[in-house]
Amino acid sequence: VFFLMIRRPPRSTLDRSSAASDVYKRQMQRYVYLFKEGSSAMRSILGLKGSRLCEIYRMGLPTPPGLVITTEGCAKYYENNRSHPQGLEKELSQRFEMLEKGIGRKLGHERDPLLVSVRAGAEKQMPGLMDSCCNIGLNDKSVIGLARRTSNETFAWDTYRRFIEDFGSVSMGIQRERFENARDTLLQSKKLEKDANLSTQDIRQLIEDYLKIVNKYAGKSFPQNPEEQLWMTIEAIFKSWNFQRSIAYRRMNDMLDLRGTGVTIQAMVFGNLNHQSGAGRVFSRNPLTGEKGLYGEYLMNIQGEEMMSGRALAPKDITKLKIEHAGIYAQLAKYGDRLEEHFHDVQDLQFTIQDGKLFILYSKDAKRTPTAALKIATDLVKEGKTRVNKAVMSLAPSSFQYLRYKTISSESRALLASNLIGTGTPGSLAAASGVVVFNKEKVEHWAREKGKKVILISKDCSSEDYVPVTMVDGYITQRGGVTADFAILTRDIGKACVFSVNKLQINSDLQSGQIGDFKLKEGDVISINGATGEIYKGEVDLKESEIPADYFNVMNWVDTFCKLKMMVNANTAEEAKLGRRLGAEGIGLLRTENSISIGEKLKTIQKAIFAVNPDEKTKYLKKLAHSHKEDIQKILLEMDGKPCVIRMLDSSLNDYIPSEEGKQKSLSKELNIPLENIKAQHKRYAEYYPSLGMRGTRLSVIHPYIYTYQAKAIFMAAMELVDQGKHPIVLIELPMVSSSYEYTYAKKIIDEAAKEVGADHKVNYKVGLLVEVPRAALTIHEVAHEIGFIHFGTNDLTQMTCGFSREDSGRFLNKFVEKGIYAKGPFDSVDQKGVGEFMKICIESCLLYTSPSPRDATLSRMPSSA
């Protein structure tokens, strides 16, 4: 009957639906858009850079015209086994012809050439990690036409020189160092310091040297056909989507679902035309601190690519532009405000000045430190430029792991004055100490194999260093400034940075160097202060930064939106105090084994393990319980009135017995225990797979007295607080449970301990289950009515569900994610299809078997996020 009630819609409706579908399909099949045809709403299609440039162009800002190849073009390139999709070539040719007509020049024309830049731009920011190339369209003939049009022969040949270097490295795969070495050799022979001092004849000689490098290392001559140059660069940019550094960045920032990169082709304007020209980058607010006002750098007579790539030598602070070119500075400030208001966020603007005229080449939402993010969000709301919900959503949760960073106090700086060996441009808020490494290939050896903190010293601020820099604590460069793409990336991951250390020299062996007169070699220890640009010899005492006041204001906003309450992992009173100050609603996990494993308490539990006489064992357990009580009490006091999940001992007894014979001998001497006894106990408790051995609740079955004394310690700590008028909320958690009988057995021990000390009617407590074994999730219905709460241990649950060892899987899981076997690393984000399914079964069972009526326990009662 229901089927008969469905009527076929009128023909006209079907036609309209079909027509709309056809339009959508045609739009999806389209690969090229002129700036005037796109908008910021097309971000997924055009990429962030392309869609933003379309928006800025349509706003009427002084932006050179251009066009965008869609992200789908890149995706199809890989789907077609690295060949361009059908129709792209024809569509690009048609749109490019429209661009040329609008400008009035043709690409690479002999007498009046149009030159273009070609840049990558994915849907989300990936600063400097993919390739780009400027000045496409220059060749042996068009360079002469450019010289005539601009009446500046030196500029034209220098632009051609830059193009050969860029194109040779990006599109022909030649190491950039080969070109740089040829340039440095010429500068040394002419006794010159900078490229800008080269004569036209010098530049033409350098071009000949560059062309020889191309012939030698590319095995073919430099392409003279402008269209061939364009297509080779487009393909190079598509290939850069899968560079190691690009993949690493997408993996670290949860961006592996992106389809590909867009390609932006834009008419060139020239910051190296003359001394009234220049280039730079500014932020509408300080991205380190959040202070309002332009922050950035610039240089005159330079192309913007040098600034962005980190190859510029000693860029100037943007405030100096206000003195040198007050009108342009005022325009920048005006455009920064206008773009900030339009996009409701602080802006990162790239600009070029050509012969005294300002051009905005790009603007995007600025990356910023967590400290700056909090202040900017607060200020934008105060100024009425954004709403609270948008301000909250502008904050990147992952960046808050860097909210607190290492610093050098002003008092320590005064004492360190005699250790100062050099200074550079401050690049971050953080400070760091570590061993010096000059060769990025050796970073992993020092950082991971030797376990050292590393300070990488490099010539340039280069995005090619992204992978090794993720492993270091600090970064120093000879060239580049705070607005280079890679400087922004290093700040983004909390590194201490100092740039443009002009007295820095790096020897060719990449094993040594010097700052001024102070000589350094690989492995030497130095310290850097990213906030001041100071570099010190030796290690310095570092302290944690204070929590910015804006944090608490923003968290008050967050509380009005959030549906889940956040708890903190804390093993000490200090951690509990900090967690509560930061807004935690309680302690989500207190690992009791952590406090037992240190100092005098470790010796006490070792004595208890080796004790043969029951009375002696009891004596040590009572002593351990007393000190354990004091630790727990301090934590409960800090969290008064908030729930505290206290996990019962979850370690194997063998964790407290050293395995190395030398340490066993030392322990024998210290505790006055025969060495044979220690070896015997170690052998007794030895396990092939400790993570699946006698630990957690299993320990209470074999050695029930351990949980008895631990539970008594917890209850006595809580009872004393109750007597003081406090309100401790104790949630005792039983780990590593696989059988319902294990849970009931251990819970009985806990409840009996409560009765024995008189806590059963005095302390607000519950006994809960830590679900980390799949069997526990499947059988939880057997004890659901007895469980005070459930807590998911997703690391162990993931290990047992997926069959991965958390310690070993790092060597291959990244490849699984890259190849699409897992959408995200299962230890980074819960595997919803596997682990999540066990969690869902567990929650449904608890709802069903604790409901007054089974009929009431419907799936609709489950939280959608469960």
Side-chain angles (χ1 to χ4, degrees), residues 391-528:
V392 169
M393 293 305 293
S394 72
L395 302 171
S398 61
S399 72
F400 276 72
Q401 62 187 299
Y402 309 116
L403 179 63
R404 302 191 77 197
Y405 47 86
K406 299 296 183 182
T407 64
I408 302 174
S409 67
S410 55
E411 295 82 7
S412 297
R413 282 180 60 203
L415 296 172
L416 288 167
S418 60
N419 291 340
L420 185 68
I421 59 175
T423 59
T425 303
S428 67
L429 298 177
S433 294
V435 297
V436 169
V437 175
F438 293 94
N439 187 342
K440 62 186 177 185
E441 304 295 335
K442 293 186 177 182
V443 166
E444 186 168 8
H445 168 71
W446 282 96
R448 292 190 174 166
E449 294 176 21
K450 289 197 169 188
K452 299 287 187 181
K453 293 184 180 298
V454 173
I455 307 291
L456 177 63
I457 299 180
S458 183
K459 185 177 181 180
D460 295 327
C461 179
S462 169
S463 297
E464 293 177 4
D465 295 343
Y466 181 72
V467 174
V469 163
T470 60
M471 301 180 234
V472 308
D473 287 74
Y475 189 57
I476 298 173
T477 69
Q478 186 181 49
R479 303 189 300 194
V482 295
T483 58
D485 282 330
F486 195 57
I488 294 168
L489 285 175
T490 52
R491 282 199 300 273
D492 199 36
I493 52 177
K495 306 301 178 183
C497 315
V498 177
F499 303 110
S500 288
V501 181
N502 54 16
K503 292 185 179 180
L504 169 64
Q505 294 179 9
I506 301 171
N507 296 332
S508 57
D509 61 2
L510 295 182
Q511 294 183 29
S512 59
Q514 61 188 75
I515 300 175
D517 297 327
F518 189 83
K519 293 184 178 180
L520 290 166
K521 65 180 184 300
E522 184 179 302
D524 287 347
V525 176
I526 64 171
S527 302
I528 63 175

Side-chain angles (χ1 to χ4, degrees), residues 209-220:
D209 294 340
Y210 277 13
L211 293 174
K212 288 176 184 177
I213 290 171
V214 171
N215 274 307
K216 181 177 179 180
Y217 293 102
K220 58 183 178 181

Side-chain angles (χ1 to χ4, degrees), residues 120 136 181 188 295 324 458 736 768:
I136 290 169
N181 290 341
Q188 289 170 12
Y295 172 94
E324 295 179 4
S458 183
M736 205 61 187

Side-chain angles (χ1 to χ4, degrees), residues 500-566:
S500 288
V501 181
N502 54 16
K503 292 185 179 180
L504 169 64
Q505 294 179 9
I506 301 171
N507 296 332
S508 57
D509 61 2
L510 295 182
Q511 294 183 29
S512 59
Q514 61 188 75
I515 300 175
D517 297 327
F518 189 83
K519 293 184 178 180
L520 290 166
K521 65 180 184 300
E522 184 179 302
D524 287 347
V525 176
I526 64 171
S527 302
I528 63 175
N529 190 343
T532 63
E534 294 166 328
I535 306 169
Y536 302 96
K537 64 181 178 182
E539 188 171 357
V540 303
D541 290 330
L542 302 174
K543 67 169 191 174
E544 289 281 339
S545 65
E546 296 297 324
I547 300 167
D550 290 311
Y551 170 85
F552 302 101
N553 178 52
V554 170
M555 287 302 111
N556 286 335
W557 293 345
V558 172
D559 285 341
T560 64
F561 297 107
C562 68
K563 296 180 181 179
L564 296 176
K565 298 297 183 183
M566 300 300 295

Side-chain angles (χ1 to χ4, degrees), residues 246-431:
S246 305
I247 294 171
Y249 183 82
R250 293 200 298 276
R251 184 192 305 121
M252 284 183 66
N253 291 276
D254 195 19
M255 293 161 51
L256 288 171
D257 57 336
L258 299 185
R259 291 273 289 161
T261 181
V263 180
T264 299
I265 302 172
Q266 189 174 23
M268 285 292 302
V269 286
F270 302 98
N272 62 325
L273 179 61
N274 51 39
H275 291 291
Q276 295 300 308
S277 302
R281 184 178 202 163
V282 293
F283 297 80
S284 56
R285 298 174 194 242
N286 189 317
L288 277 74
T289 65
E291 294 296 327
K292 190 173 182 180
L294 290 186
Y295 172 94
E297 297 171 319
Y298 76 103
L299 278 173
M300 301 306 290
N301 203 10
I302 191 175
Q303 282 204 340
E305 197 61 28
E306 287 181 69
M307 295 287 294
M308 303 309 116
S309 65
R311 298 193 300 272
L313 190 62
K316 295 180 181 180
D317 189 282
I318 197 64
T319 54
K320 293 182 179 178
L321 185 66
K322 192 173 185 178
I323 300 169
E324 295 179 4
H325 300 277
I328 290 174
Y329 183 89
Q331 281 182 285
L332 268 176
K334 175 185 171 185
Y335 293 143
D337 284 343
R338 184 176 170 192
L339 288 163
E340 190 177 271
E341 191 145 349
H342 185 82
F343 292 112
H344 309 290
D345 204 351
V346 59
Q347 291 300 292
D348 169 358
L349 292 83
Q350 297 171 22
F351 67 91
T352 287
I353 306 164
Q354 178 176 284
D355 203 19
K357 183 178 179 181
L358 177 66
F359 292 90
I360 303 299
L361 300 188
Y362 183 36
S363 180
K364 61 185 175 184
D365 296 345
K367 284 189 170 289
R368 64 212 80 169
T369 65
T371 301
L374 292 166
K375 179 167 177 54
I376 288 166
T378 302
D379 288 351
L380 288 177
V381 170
K382 285 180 182 176
E383 295 165 20
K385 289 188 173 180
T386 192
R387 295 192 297 273
V388 168
N389 61 332
K390 285 198 172 184
V392 169
M393 293 305 293
S394 72
L395 302 171
S398 61
S399 72
F400 276 72
Q401 62 187 299
Y402 309 116
L403 179 63
R404 302 191 77 197
Y405 47 86
K406 299 296 183 182
T407 64
I408 302 174
S409 67
S410 55
E411 295 82 7
S412 297
R413 282 180 60 203
L415 296 172
L416 288 167
S418 60
N419 291 340
L420 185 68
I421 59 175
T423 59
T425 303
S428 67
L429 298 177

